[in-house]
Amino acid sequence: MKKYNRFLYIFSFLFLLAFHVNAAPQLEIDEDHDEVMHAVQQGLIQPFSALQEKVAKQLNGRIIKVELDEDDDVWVYELKLIDPNNNIVKVEYEARTLTIIEIKGRGLENIIKVNE
């Protein structure tokens, strides 16, 4: 019986650890943190919280990775989402207006919410 309890304890610990690691999206910012904060204050970038709200309104999926890049004075949020069918979808948002620039992946018909 002790062996079963130890197995259950280890399994529970690993499950909780995996859940904790996967619960929050991975955030990568390739630019200097101060530069990003300055850009948010100037209105060149919408904050991540606004992006999360926009994604929740437009897409059925959970954000698993976020990158913020600036190229030629254009800021872009690059996201990876996982849809309810476990498909990975890549979405790029223009960071100032939060408009979708590009979306690609399998099962897009399941991830894009249709406004009624």
Coordinates of all heavy atoms in Angstrom, one line a residue, residues 8-95:
L8 N 1.1 7.7 -6.1 CA 0.0 8.7 -6.2 C 0.6 10.1 -5.9 O 0.3 11.1 -6.5 CB -1.1 8.3 -5.3 CG -2.4 9.2 -5.4 CD1 -3.0 9.2 -6.8 CD2 -3.4 8.7 -4.4
Y9 N 1.4 10.2 -4.8 CA 2.0 11.4 -4.4 C 2.9 12.0 -5.6 O 2.8 13.2 -5.9 CB 2.8 11.3 -3.2 CG 3.6 12.5 -2.7 CD1 2.9 13.6 -2.2 CD2 4.9 12.6 -3.0 CE1 3.6 14.7 -1.8 CE2 5.7 13.7 -2.6 CZ 5.0 14.8 -2.0 OH 5.7 15.9 -1.7
I10 N 3.7 11.2 -6.1 CA 4.6 11.6 -7.2 C 3.8 12.0 -8.4 O 4.1 13.1 -9.0 CB 5.7 10.5 -7.5 CG1 6.6 10.4 -6.4 CG2 6.4 10.9 -8.8 CD1 7.6 9.2 -6.5
F11 N 2.9 11.3 -8.8 CA 2.0 11.6 -9.9 C 1.3 12.9 -9.7 O 1.2 13.8 -10.6 CB 1.0 10.5 -10.2 CG 0.1 10.8 -11.3 CD1 0.5 10.6 -12.6 CD2 -1.2 11.2 -11.1 CE1 -0.4 10.9 -13.7 CE2 -2.1 11.5 -12.1 CZ -1.6 11.4 -13.4
S12 N 0.7 13.1 -8.5 CA 0.0 14.4 -8.2 C 1.0 15.6 -8.3 O 0.6 16.6 -8.8 CB -0.6 14.3 -6.8 OG -1.5 13.3 -6.8
F13 N 2.2 15.4 -7.8 CA 3.2 16.5 -7.8 C 3.5 16.8 -9.2 O 3.6 18.0 -9.6 CB 4.4 16.1 -7.0 CG 5.5 17.1 -7.1 CD1 5.5 18.3 -6.3 CD2 6.6 16.9 -7.9 CE1 6.4 19.2 -6.4 CE2 7.6 17.8 -8.0 CZ 7.5 19.0 -7.3
L14 N 3.8 15.8 -10.1 CA 4.2 16.1 -11.4 C 3.0 16.7 -12.2 O 3.2 17.6 -13.0 CB 4.6 14.8 -12.1 CG 6.0 14.2 -11.6 CD1 6.2 12.9 -12.3 CD2 7.1 15.2 -11.9
F15 N 1.8 16.3 -12.0 CA 0.6 16.9 -12.6 C 0.5 18.3 -12.2 O 0.3 19.2 -13.1 CB -0.6 16.1 -12.2 CG -1.9 16.7 -12.8 CD1 -2.2 16.5 -14.1 CD2 -2.7 17.5 -12.0 CE1 -3.4 17.0 -14.7 CE2 -3.8 18.1 -12.6 CZ -4.2 17.8 -13.9
L16 N 0.6 18.7 -11.0 CA 0.5 20.0 -10.5 C 1.6 20.9 -11.1 O 1.4 22.0 -11.5 CB 0.5 20.1 -9.0 CG -0.8 19.6 -8.3 CD1 -0.7 19.6 -6.8 CD2 -2.0 20.4 -8.8
L17 N 2.8 20.3 -11.1 CA 3.9 21.1 -11.7 C 3.7 21.3 -13.2 O 3.9 22.5 -13.7 CB 5.2 20.3 -11.5 CG 6.5 20.9 -12.1 CD1 6.8 22.2 -11.3 CD2 7.7 20.0 -11.9
A18 N 3.2 20.4 -13.9 CA 3.0 20.5 -15.4 C 1.9 21.6 -15.6 O 1.9 22.4 -16.5 CB 2.6 19.2 -16.0
F19 N 0.8 21.5 -14.7 CA -0.3 22.5 -14.8 C 0.2 23.9 -14.6 O -0.1 24.8 -15.3 CB -1.4 22.1 -13.9 CG -2.5 23.1 -13.9 CD1 -3.4 23.1 -15.0 CD2 -2.7 24.1 -13.0 CE1 -4.5 24.0 -15.0 CE2 -3.7 25.0 -13.0 CZ -4.6 24.9 -14.0
H20 N 1.0 24.0 -13.6 CA 1.6 25.4 -13.2 C 2.4 25.9 -14.3 O 2.3 27.1 -14.7 CB 2.4 25.3 -11.9 CG 3.0 26.6 -11.5 ND1 2.3 27.7 -11.1 CD2 4.3 27.0 -11.6 CE1 3.1 28.7 -10.9 NE2 4.3 28.3 -11.2
V21 N 3.3 25.1 -14.9 CA 4.2 25.5 -16.0 C 3.4 25.9 -17.2 O 3.7 26.9 -17.9 CB 5.2 24.4 -16.3 CG1 6.0 24.7 -17.6 CG2 6.2 24.2 -15.2
N22 N 2.3 25.2 -17.5 CA 1.5 25.5 -18.7 C 0.4 26.5 -18.5 O -0.2 26.9 -19.4 CB 0.9 24.2 -19.3 CG 2.0 23.2 -19.8 OD1 3.0 23.7 -20.4 ND2 1.8 22.0 -19.6
A23 N 0.2 26.9 -17.3 CA -0.9 27.8 -17.0 C -0.7 29.2 -17.5 O -1.6 29.8 -18.0 CB -1.2 27.8 -15.5
A24 N 0.5 29.7 -17.4 CA 0.8 31.0 -17.9 C 1.5 31.0 -19.2 O 2.4 30.2 -19.4 CB 1.7 31.7 -16.8
P25 N 1.2 32.0 -20.1 CA 1.9 32.0 -21.4 C 3.3 32.4 -21.2 O 3.7 33.2 -20.3 CB 1.1 33.0 -22.2 CG 0.4 33.9 -21.2 CD 0.2 33.0 -20.0
Q26 N 4.2 32.0 -22.0 CA 5.6 32.4 -22.0 C 5.7 33.7 -22.7 O 5.1 33.9 -23.8 CB 6.4 31.3 -22.8 CG 7.9 31.7 -22.9 CD 8.6 30.6 -23.7 OE1 8.1 29.6 -24.1 NE2 9.9 30.9 -23.9
L27 N 6.3 34.7 -22.1 CA 6.4 36.0 -22.7 C 7.8 36.3 -23.0 O 8.7 36.2 -22.1 CB 5.8 37.1 -21.7 CG 5.9 38.5 -22.1 CD1 5.0 38.7 -23.4 CD2 5.4 39.4 -21.0
E28 N 8.1 36.7 -24.3 CA 9.4 37.1 -24.7 C 9.4 38.5 -25.3 O 8.5 38.8 -26.1 CB 10.0 36.1 -25.7 CG 10.2 34.7 -25.3 CD 10.8 33.9 -26.4 OE1 11.3 34.4 -27.4 OE2 10.7 32.7 -26.2
I29 N 10.3 39.3 -24.8 CA 10.4 40.7 -25.3 C 11.8 40.8 -25.8 O 12.7 40.8 -25.1 CB 10.1 41.8 -24.3 CG1 8.6 41.6 -23.8 CG2 10.2 43.2 -24.9 CD1 8.2 42.5 -22.7
D30 N 11.9 41.0 -27.2 CA 13.3 41.1 -27.8 C 13.9 42.4 -27.6 O 15.1 42.6 -27.8 CB 13.2 40.7 -29.2 CG 13.0 39.2 -29.5 OD1 13.2 38.4 -28.5 OD2 12.6 38.9 -30.6
E31 N 13.1 43.4 -27.2 CA 13.6 44.8 -27.1 C 13.9 45.1 -25.6 O 13.5 44.3 -24.7 CB 12.5 45.8 -27.6 CG 12.0 45.4 -29.0 CD 13.1 45.4 -30.1 OE1 14.1 46.1 -30.0 OE2 12.9 44.6 -31.0
D32 N 14.5 46.2 -25.4 CA 14.8 46.7 -24.0 C 13.5 47.0 -23.3 O 12.6 47.6 -23.8 CB 15.7 47.9 -24.1 CG 16.1 48.5 -22.8 OD1 16.5 47.7 -21.9 OD2 16.0 49.7 -22.6
H33 N 13.5 46.5 -22.0 CA 12.3 46.7 -21.2 C 11.9 48.2 -21.1 O 10.7 48.5 -21.2 CB 12.5 46.1 -19.8 CG 11.3 46.2 -18.9 ND1 10.1 45.6 -19.2 CD2 11.2 46.8 -17.7 CE1 9.2 45.9 -18.2 NE2 9.9 46.6 -17.3
D34 N 12.9 49.0 -20.9 CA 12.6 50.5 -20.7 C 12.0 51.0 -22.0 O 11.1 51.9 -22.0 CB 13.8 51.2 -20.3 CG 14.3 50.9 -18.9 OD1 13.4 50.5 -18.1 OD2 15.5 51.0 -18.7
E35 N 12.5 50.5 -23.2 CA 12.0 51.0 -24.5 C 10.6 50.6 -24.7 O 9.8 51.3 -25.2 CB 12.9 50.4 -25.6 CG 12.5 50.8 -27.0 CD 13.4 50.2 -28.1 OE1 14.2 49.3 -27.8 OE2 13.1 50.6 -29.2
V36 N 10.3 49.4 -24.2 CA 8.9 48.9 -24.3 C 8.0 49.7 -23.4 O 6.9 50.1 -23.9 CB 8.8 47.4 -24.0 CG1 7.3 46.9 -23.9 CG2 9.5 46.5 -25.0
M37 N 8.4 49.9 -22.2 CA 7.5 50.7 -21.3 C 7.3 52.2 -21.9 O 6.2 52.7 -21.8 CB 8.2 50.8 -19.9 CG 8.2 49.5 -19.2 SD 6.5 48.7 -19.0 CE 5.7 49.9 -18.0
H38 N 8.4 52.7 -22.4 CA 8.3 54.1 -23.0 C 7.3 54.0 -24.2 O 6.5 55.0 -24.4 CB 9.6 54.6 -23.5 CG 9.7 55.9 -24.0 ND1 9.4 57.0 -23.2 CD2 9.9 56.4 -25.2 CE1 9.5 58.1 -23.9 NE2 9.8 57.8 -25.2
A39 N 7.3 53.0 -25.0 CA 6.5 52.9 -26.2 C 5.0 52.7 -25.7 O 4.1 53.3 -26.3 CB 6.9 51.7 -27.0
V40 N 4.8 52.0 -24.6 CA 3.4 51.9 -24.1 C 2.9 53.2 -23.6 O 1.8 53.6 -23.9 CB 3.3 50.8 -23.0 CG1 2.0 50.9 -22.2 CG2 3.6 49.4 -23.5
Q41 N 3.7 53.9 -22.9 CA 3.4 55.3 -22.4 C 3.1 56.3 -23.5 O 2.2 57.1 -23.4 CB 4.5 55.8 -21.5 CG 4.6 55.1 -20.2 CD 5.8 55.4 -19.4 OE1 6.7 56.1 -19.9 NE2 5.9 54.9 -18.2
Q42 N 3.8 56.1 -24.6 CA 3.5 57.0 -25.8 C 2.4 56.6 -26.7 O 2.0 57.2 -27.6 CB 4.8 57.1 -26.7 CG 5.9 57.8 -26.1 CD 7.1 58.0 -27.0 OE1 7.4 57.0 -27.8 NE2 7.8 59.1 -27.0
G43 N 1.8 55.4 -26.4 CA 0.7 54.9 -27.1 C 1.1 54.2 -28.4 O 0.2 53.9 -29.3
L44 N 2.4 53.8 -28.5 CA 2.8 53.1 -29.7 C 2.5 51.6 -29.6 O 2.5 50.9 -30.6 CB 4.4 53.3 -29.9 CG 4.8 54.7 -30.1 CD1 6.3 54.8 -30.1 CD2 4.2 55.3 -31.3
I45 N 2.3 51.1 -28.4 CA 2.0 49.7 -28.1 C 0.8 49.7 -27.1 O 0.8 50.4 -26.1 CB 3.2 49.0 -27.4 CG1 4.4 49.1 -28.3 CG2 2.9 47.6 -27.1 CD1 5.7 48.6 -27.6
Q46 N -0.1 48.8 -27.3 CA -1.1 48.5 -26.4 C -0.6 47.6 -25.3 O 0.2 46.7 -25.7 CB -2.4 47.9 -27.0 CG -3.1 48.8 -28.0 CD -3.8 49.9 -27.2 OE1 -4.4 49.7 -26.2 NE2 -3.7 51.1 -27.8
P47 N -0.9 47.7 -24.1 CA -0.4 46.8 -23.0 C -0.9 45.3 -23.3 O -1.9 45.1 -23.9 CB -1.0 47.3 -21.7 CG -2.1 48.2 -22.1 CD -1.9 48.7 -23.5
F48 N -0.2 44.4 -22.7 CA -0.5 43.0 -22.9 C -1.9 42.7 -22.4 O -2.6 41.9 -23.0 CB 0.6 42.1 -22.1 CG 0.3 40.7 -22.2 CD1 0.4 40.0 -23.4 CD2 -0.1 39.9 -21.1 CE1 0.2 38.7 -23.6 CE2 -0.3 38.6 -21.2 CZ -0.2 37.9 -22.5
S49 N -2.4 43.3 -21.3 CA -3.7 43.1 -20.8 C -4.8 43.4 -21.9 O -5.8 42.7 -22.0 CB -4.0 43.9 -19.6 OG -3.8 45.3 -19.8
A50 N -4.5 44.5 -22.7 CA -5.5 44.8 -23.8 C -5.4 43.8 -24.9 O -6.5 43.4 -25.4 CB -5.1 46.2 -24.3
L51 N -4.2 43.3 -25.1 CA -4.1 42.2 -26.1 C -4.9 40.9 -25.7 O -5.6 40.3 -26.5 CB -2.6 41.8 -26.3 CG -2.4 40.7 -27.3 CD1 -2.8 41.0 -28.7 CD2 -0.9 40.3 -27.2
Q52 N -4.7 40.6 -24.4 CA -5.5 39.4 -23.9 C -7.0 39.6 -24.1 O -7.6 38.6 -24.4 CB -5.1 39.2 -22.4 CG -3.7 38.7 -22.2 CD -3.5 38.5 -20.7 OE1 -3.6 39.5 -19.9 NE2 -3.1 37.3 -20.3
E53 N -7.5 40.8 -23.8 CA -8.9 41.0 -23.9 C -9.3 40.9 -25.4 O -10.4 40.3 -25.7 CB -9.3 42.4 -23.4 CG -9.2 42.6 -21.9 CD -9.5 44.0 -21.5 OE1 -10.1 44.7 -22.2 OE2 -9.0 44.3 -20.4
K54 N -8.5 41.4 -26.3 CA -8.8 41.4 -27.7 C -8.8 39.9 -28.2 O -9.7 39.5 -29.0 CB -7.8 42.2 -28.5 CG -8.1 42.4 -29.9 CD -9.2 43.3 -30.1 CE -9.0 44.1 -31.4 NZ -10.1 45.1 -31.6
V55 N -7.8 39.1 -27.8 CA -7.8 37.7 -28.2 C -9.0 37.0 -27.7 O -9.6 36.2 -28.4 CB -6.4 37.1 -27.7 CG1 -6.5 35.6 -27.9 CG2 -5.2 37.7 -28.4
A56 N -9.4 37.2 -26.5 CA -10.5 36.5 -25.9 C -11.8 36.8 -26.7 O -12.7 36.0 -26.8 CB -10.7 36.9 -24.4
K57 N -11.9 38.1 -27.2 CA -13.1 38.4 -28.0 C -13.1 37.8 -29.4 O -14.2 37.6 -29.9 CB -13.2 40.0 -28.1 CG -13.6 40.6 -26.8 CD -13.7 42.1 -27.0 CE -14.0 42.8 -25.6 NZ -13.9 44.3 -25.8
Q58 N -11.9 37.7 -30.0 CA -11.8 37.3 -31.4 C -11.5 35.8 -31.6 O -11.9 35.3 -32.6 CB -10.7 38.1 -32.1 CG -11.0 39.6 -32.2 CD -9.8 40.3 -32.9 OE1 -8.7 39.9 -32.8 NE2 -10.2 41.4 -33.5
L59 N -10.9 35.2 -30.6 CA -10.4 33.8 -30.9 C -10.7 32.8 -29.8 O -10.8 33.2 -28.6 CB -8.8 33.8 -31.1 CG -8.3 34.8 -32.1 CD1 -6.8 34.9 -32.1 CD2 -8.8 34.4 -33.5
N60 N -11.0 31.6 -30.2 CA -11.2 30.5 -29.3 C -9.8 29.8 -29.1 O -9.5 29.0 -29.9 CB -12.2 29.5 -29.8 CG -13.6 30.0 -29.9 OD1 -14.0 30.6 -28.9 ND2 -14.2 29.9 -31.0
G61 N -9.1 30.1 -28.1 CA -7.9 29.5 -27.8 C -7.2 30.1 -26.6 O -7.6 31.1 -26.1
R62 N -6.1 29.4 -26.2 CA -5.4 29.8 -25.0 C -4.0 30.2 -25.5 O -3.3 29.5 -26.3 CB -5.3 28.7 -24.0 CG -4.6 29.1 -22.7 CD -4.7 28.0 -21.7 NE -4.2 26.7 -22.1 CZ -2.9 26.3 -22.0 NH1 -2.1 27.0 -21.4 NH2 -2.6 25.1 -22.4
I63 N -3.6 31.4 -25.1 CA -2.2 31.9 -25.4 C -1.2 31.1 -24.7 O -1.3 30.9 -23.5 CB -2.1 33.4 -25.0 CG1 -3.1 34.3 -25.8 CG2 -0.7 33.9 -25.3 CD1 -3.1 35.7 -25.3
I64 N -0.2 30.5 -25.5 CA 0.8 29.8 -24.8 C 2.2 30.4 -25.0 O 3.1 30.1 -24.3 CB 0.9 28.3 -25.4 CG1 1.0 28.2 -26.9 CG2 -0.4 27.5 -24.9 CD1 1.2 26.9 -27.4
K65 N 2.3 31.4 -25.9 CA 3.6 32.1 -26.1 C 3.3 33.4 -26.7 O 2.4 33.6 -27.6 CB 4.5 31.3 -27.0 CG 5.9 31.9 -27.1 CD 6.8 31.0 -27.9 CE 8.2 31.6 -28.0 NZ 9.1 30.8 -28.8
V66 N 4.0 34.4 -26.2 CA 3.9 35.8 -26.7 C 5.3 36.4 -27.0 O 6.2 36.2 -26.1 CB 3.2 36.7 -25.7 CG1 3.1 38.2 -26.3 CG2 1.8 36.2 -25.4
E67 N 5.5 37.0 -28.1 CA 6.7 37.7 -28.4 C 6.3 39.1 -28.9 O 5.3 39.3 -29.5 CB 7.5 37.0 -29.5 CG 8.1 35.7 -29.1 CD 9.0 35.1 -30.2 OE1 9.6 35.8 -31.0 OE2 9.0 33.9 -30.3
L68 N 7.1 40.1 -28.5 CA 6.9 41.4 -28.9 C 8.2 41.9 -29.6 O 9.3 41.8 -29.1 CB 6.6 42.4 -27.7 CG 6.5 43.8 -28.0 CD1 5.3 44.1 -28.9 CD2 6.3 44.6 -26.7
D69 N 8.0 42.3 -30.9 CA 9.2 42.7 -31.7 C 8.9 44.0 -32.3 O 7.8 44.4 -32.6 CB 9.4 41.7 -32.9 CG 9.9 40.3 -32.4 OD1 10.7 40.3 -31.5 OD2 9.4 39.3 -32.9
E70 N 10.0 44.8 -32.5 CA 9.9 46.1 -33.2 C 10.8 46.0 -34.4 O 12.0 45.6 -34.3 CB 10.3 47.2 -32.3 CG 10.1 48.5 -32.9 CD 11.3 49.4 -33.0 OE1 12.4 49.1 -32.6 OE2 11.1 50.5 -33.5
D71 N 10.3 46.3 -35.6 CA 11.0 46.3 -36.8 C 10.6 47.5 -37.7 O 9.4 47.6 -38.0 CB 10.8 45.0 -37.5 CG 11.7 44.8 -38.7 OD1 12.8 45.3 -38.7 OD2 11.3 44.1 -39.7
D72 N 11.5 48.3 -38.0 CA 11.3 49.5 -38.8 C 10.1 50.3 -38.2 O 9.2 50.8 -38.8 CB 10.9 49.2 -40.2 CG 12.1 48.5 -41.0 OD1 13.2 48.8 -40.6 OD2 11.8 47.7 -41.9
D73 N 10.2 50.6 -36.9 CA 9.3 51.4 -36.1 C 7.9 50.8 -36.1 O 6.9 51.5 -35.8 CB 9.2 52.8 -36.6 CG 10.6 53.5 -36.4 OD1 11.2 53.2 -35.4 OD2 10.9 54.4 -37.3
V74 N 7.7 49.5 -36.4 CA 6.4 48.9 -36.3 C 6.5 47.8 -35.2 O 7.4 46.9 -35.3 CB 6.0 48.3 -37.6 CG1 4.6 47.5 -37.5 CG2 5.8 49.3 -38.7
W75 N 5.7 47.9 -34.2 CA 5.7 46.9 -33.1 C 4.7 45.8 -33.4 O 3.5 46.1 -33.8 CB 5.3 47.6 -31.8 CG 6.4 48.5 -31.3 CD1 6.5 49.8 -31.6 CD2 7.4 48.2 -30.4 NE1 7.6 50.3 -30.9 CE2 8.2 49.4 -30.2 CE3 7.8 47.0 -29.7 CZ2 9.3 49.4 -29.4 CZ3 8.9 47.1 -28.9 CH2 9.6 48.2 -28.7
V76 N 5.1 44.5 -33.2 CA 4.2 43.4 -33.5 C 4.2 42.4 -32.4 O 5.3 42.0 -31.9 CB 4.7 42.7 -34.8 CG1 3.8 41.5 -35.1 CG2 4.6 43.6 -36.0
Y77 N 3.0 42.0 -31.9 CA 2.8 40.9 -31.0 C 2.7 39.7 -31.8 O 1.9 39.6 -32.7 CB 1.6 41.1 -30.2 CG 1.6 42.0 -29.0 CD1 0.9 43.2 -29.0 CD2 2.4 41.7 -27.9 CE1 0.9 44.1 -27.9 CE2 2.4 42.6 -26.8 CZ 1.7 43.7 -26.8 OH 1.7 44.6 -25.7
E78 N 3.6 38.7 -31.6 CA 3.5 37.4 -32.2 C 3.1 36.4 -31.2 O 3.7 36.2 -30.1 CB 4.9 37.0 -32.8 CG 5.4 38.0 -33.8 CD 6.8 37.7 -34.3 OE1 7.4 36.7 -33.8 OE2 7.3 38.4 -35.1
L79 N 1.9 35.7 -31.4 CA 1.3 34.8 -30.5 C 1.3 33.4 -31.0 O 1.2 33.2 -32.2 CB -0.1 35.2 -30.2 CG -0.4 36.6 -29.8 CD1 -1.9 36.8 -29.6 CD2 0.3 37.0 -28.5
K80 N 1.4 32.5 -30.1 CA 1.0 31.1 -30.4 C -0.1 30.7 -29.4 O -0.1 31.0 -28.3 CB 2.2 30.1 -30.1 CG 3.3 30.1 -31.2 CD 4.3 29.1 -30.9 CE 5.3 29.1 -32.0 NZ 6.4 28.1 -31.8
L81 N -1.2 30.2 -30.0 CA -2.3 29.8 -29.3 C -2.6 28.3 -29.5 O -2.1 27.7 -30.5 CB -3.6 30.5 -29.8 CG -3.7 32.0 -29.4 CD1 -3.1 32.8 -30.5 CD2 -5.1 32.3 -29.2
I82 N -3.2 27.7 -28.5 CA -3.7 26.3 -28.7 C -5.2 26.3 -28.7 O -5.8 26.9 -27.8 CB -3.1 25.4 -27.6 CG1 -3.4 23.9 -27.9 CG2 -3.5 25.8 -26.2 CD1 -2.5 22.9 -27.2
D83 N -5.8 25.7 -29.7 CA -7.3 25.7 -29.8 C -7.9 24.5 -29.0 O -7.1 23.7 -28.5 CB -7.7 25.8 -31.2 CG -7.6 24.4 -32.0 OD1 -7.2 23.4 -31.4 OD2 -7.9 24.4 -33.2
P84 N -9.2 24.5 -28.9 CA -9.8 23.4 -28.1 C -9.5 22.0 -28.7 O -9.6 21.0 -27.9 CB -11.3 23.7 -28.3 CG -11.4 25.1 -28.5 CD -10.1 25.5 -29.3
N85 N -9.0 21.9 -29.9 CA -8.7 20.6 -30.5 C -7.2 20.3 -30.5 O -6.7 19.5 -31.2 CB -9.2 20.5 -32.0 CG -10.7 20.6 -32.0 OD1 -11.4 20.0 -31.2 ND2 -11.2 21.3 -33.0
N86 N -6.4 21.1 -29.7 CA -5.0 21.0 -29.5 C -4.2 21.4 -30.8 O -3.1 20.9 -30.9 CB -4.6 19.7 -29.0 CG -5.0 19.5 -27.5 OD1 -5.1 20.4 -26.8 ND2 -5.4 18.3 -27.2
N87 N -4.8 22.2 -31.7 CA -4.0 22.7 -32.8 C -3.3 24.0 -32.4 O -3.8 24.8 -31.6 CB -4.9 23.0 -34.0 CG -5.6 21.8 -34.6 OD1 -4.9 20.8 -34.8 ND2 -6.9 21.9 -34.8
I88 N -2.1 24.1 -32.9 CA -1.3 25.3 -32.6 C -1.5 26.3 -33.7 O -1.4 26.0 -34.9 CB 0.2 25.0 -32.5 CG1 0.5 24.0 -31.4 CG2 1.0 26.3 -32.3 CD1 0.2 24.5 -30.0
V89 N -1.9 27.6 -33.4 CA -2.1 28.6 -34.3 C -1.2 29.8 -34.0 O -1.0 30.1 -32.8 CB -3.6 29.0 -34.2 CG1 -3.9 30.2 -35.2 CG2 -4.5 27.9 -34.5
K90 N -0.6 30.4 -35.1 CA 0.2 31.5 -34.9 C -0.6 32.7 -35.4 O -1.2 32.7 -36.5 CB 1.5 31.4 -35.7 CG 2.4 30.2 -35.2 CD 3.6 30.1 -36.1 CE 4.5 29.0 -35.6 NZ 5.7 28.8 -36.3
V91 N -0.5 33.8 -34.6 CA -1.2 35.0 -34.9 C -0.3 36.2 -34.7 O 0.4 36.3 -33.6 CB -2.5 35.2 -34.0 CG1 -3.3 36.4 -34.4 CG2 -3.4 34.0 -34.0
E92 N -0.3 37.1 -35.6 CA 0.4 38.4 -35.4 C -0.6 39.5 -35.3 O -1.5 39.6 -36.1 CB 1.4 38.6 -36.6 CG 2.5 37.7 -36.7 CD 3.5 38.0 -37.8 OE1 3.3 39.0 -38.5 OE2 4.5 37.2 -37.9
Y93 N -0.4 40.4 -34.3 CA -1.2 41.6 -34.1 C -0.3 42.8 -34.2 O 0.8 42.8 -33.7 CB -1.8 41.6 -32.7 CG -3.0 40.8 -32.5 CD1 -3.0 39.4 -32.2 CD2 -4.3 41.4 -32.7 CE1 -4.1 38.7 -32.0 CE2 -5.4 40.6 -32.5 CZ -5.4 39.3 -32.1 OH -6.5 38.6 -31.9
E94 N -0.8 43.8 -34.9 CA -0.1 45.1 -34.9 C -0.3 45.6 -33.5 O -1.4 45.7 -33.0 CB -0.7 46.0 -36.0 CG 0.2 47.2 -36.3 CD 0.0 48.4 -35.4 OE1 -1.1 48.6 -34.9 OE2 1.0 49.0 -35.0
A95 N 0.8 46.0 -32.8 CA 0.7 46.3 -31.3 C 0.1 47.6 -31.0 O -0.4 47.8 -29.9 CB 2.1 46.2 -30.7

